[in-house]
Amino acid sequence: MMNNILNTPDLRILLIKLRHHGDMLLTTPLINSLRQSLPDAQIDILLYEETRDMLAAHPAINTIYGIDRKWKQLGTLKHLQKEWQLLCALRSRQYHLVINLADQWRSAIVTRFTSAPVRLGFGFNKRKNAFWRFCHTELVSVANHNALHTVEQNLSILSPLSLPAVSTVTMSYTSDDWNFARQKLTAQGVGDRYIIIQPTSRWFFKCWDENKMAQTITALQREGHTIVLTAGPDKKELSMVDRILSASPKTDVISLAGQLSLRQLASLIDHADLFIGVDSVPMHMAAALQTPCVALFGPSKLTFWSPWQVNGEVIWAGNFGPLPDPDAVDTKTSERYLDAIPVDAVVDAAKRCLV
């Protein structure tokens, strides 16, 4: 059945992943693997609408379908209409192969509703039941996932297809994205040489002390480097950047925080001399783009989430002090677990990456 499906003319594949931005970026090795082995296949993606930017410019993707979590605000009837329209659109594509990387019931229902003859999913421990099996034609074991990086976990779903894996993460953007970002740099008087620093994350327990970040910026600025600070548009992130700026030199340090889309930020990172950042989406983009990178990590699962194919260094707070179990962390805590990392460790790593 598998070989027959893969040899189908006009092969249509749907890949489902319903998670955060970083998760979507780490699906690109799977997408690249499918494209390399099946160059003529049409590869569609189902994701959460807010993560579209991560894959929108990927050259291997045919169509992206988005689930907008704002549909819930439309009222029950209109919400159900949106869900039904999506299901009908997916079913009308008559997919030959559906690959469901997600663990939500919604993803399983969509997988089953497509009526694709081959429907792959993971045999998650929390989904050991008849309905999950009913929604998929084959479930791939997750028995060794605890020892695998997220990239490797995703690629393991290829095992029933006997396709070779391409483990390269790719972050794609357009020339318009770079033109916009470059105009932002030019308007602030920044030339071709600069360092990107992303000090924020949507989860503040992953962030480093603002004063330590400012001290790092000061040390690099004194070495003659121009620093560009970036962050998401969230008010808390922007306030954090403001605090860092107030403690940093007033020249050769600029902020584009909240001013760029993720693809525009990717283009900025791609042209930078160095990226310094905490465990966040931009850190994964820097690794994907092979920009020299210094990544600061706290109580995240390094096995799962360390920057894949990083060109640089990962500084783990656990080497400088005790850290809580990642599964026991309250994501709403005000605790800054990265604060054990000394400034010198970051500055020295940055200098090594800049050589």
Side-chain angles (χ1 to χ4, degrees), residues 109-129:
I109 293 168
V110 171
T111 298
R112 185 67 185 85
F113 195 82
T114 64
S115 294
V118 177
R119 304 183 302 278
L120 301 181
F122 282 126
F124 296 110
N125 293 328
K126 66 179 182 180
R127 298 288 182 247
K128 289 186 179 297
N129 56 68

Side-chain angles (χ1 to χ4, degrees), residues 135-304:
C135 290
H136 304 85
T137 59
E138 185 162 349
L139 294 176
V140 177
S141 173
V142 297
N144 64 339
H145 275 200
N146 281 338
L148 299 180
H149 190 278
T150 304
V151 166
E152 296 169 312
Q153 294 176 18
N154 290 337
L155 288 172
S156 71
I157 207 160
L158 289 173
S159 57
L161 302 174
S162 299
L163 296 178
V166 177
S167 60
T168 305
V169 178
T170 50
M171 178 66 210
S172 303
Y173 61 87
T174 67
S175 57
D176 286 344
D177 294 323
W178 171 232
N179 289 336
F180 182 90
R182 186 167 50 186
Q183 288 171 8
K184 288 284 188 180
L185 291 176
T186 302
Q188 296 260 23
V190 178
D192 294 334
R193 308 296 301 273
Y194 57 90
I195 294 172
I196 294 283
I197 294 184
Q198 171 87 20
T200 65
S201 164
R202 62 186 296 182
W203 291 291
F204 270 56
F205 74 89
K206 294 184 177 183
C207 297
W208 199 30
D209 176 77
E210 287 92 336
N211 287 325
K212 288 187 174 182
M213 190 64 81
Q215 290 172 44
T216 300
I217 290 169
T218 301
L220 293 172
Q221 188 261 8
R222 285 174 179 168
E223 293 280 330
H225 299 287
T226 298
I227 312 299
V228 179
L229 283 165
T230 60
D234 183 82
K235 289 182 180 179
K236 290 182 179 179
E237 292 189 44
L238 297 178
S239 295
M240 185 180 195
V241 170
D242 286 342
R243 291 193 294 273
I244 293 169
L245 284 171
S246 66
S248 300
K250 304 307 175 191
T251 58
D252 297 322
V253 180
I254 67 118
S255 172
L256 294 181
Q259 300 178 43
L260 303 171
S261 70
L262 283 169
R263 291 210 318 264
Q264 291 160 358
L265 176 57
S267 72
L268 197 71
I269 292 170
D270 197 22
H271 290 81
D273 292 335
L274 175 68
F275 173 90
I276 301 174
V278 298
D279 177 15
S280 60
V281 178
M283 176 208 69
H284 289 293
M285 294 196 299
L289 294 162
Q290 288 290 281
T291 298
C293 175
V294 177
L296 280 59
F297 257 81
S300 299
K301 293 183 178 179
L302 278 172
T303 302
F304 295 172

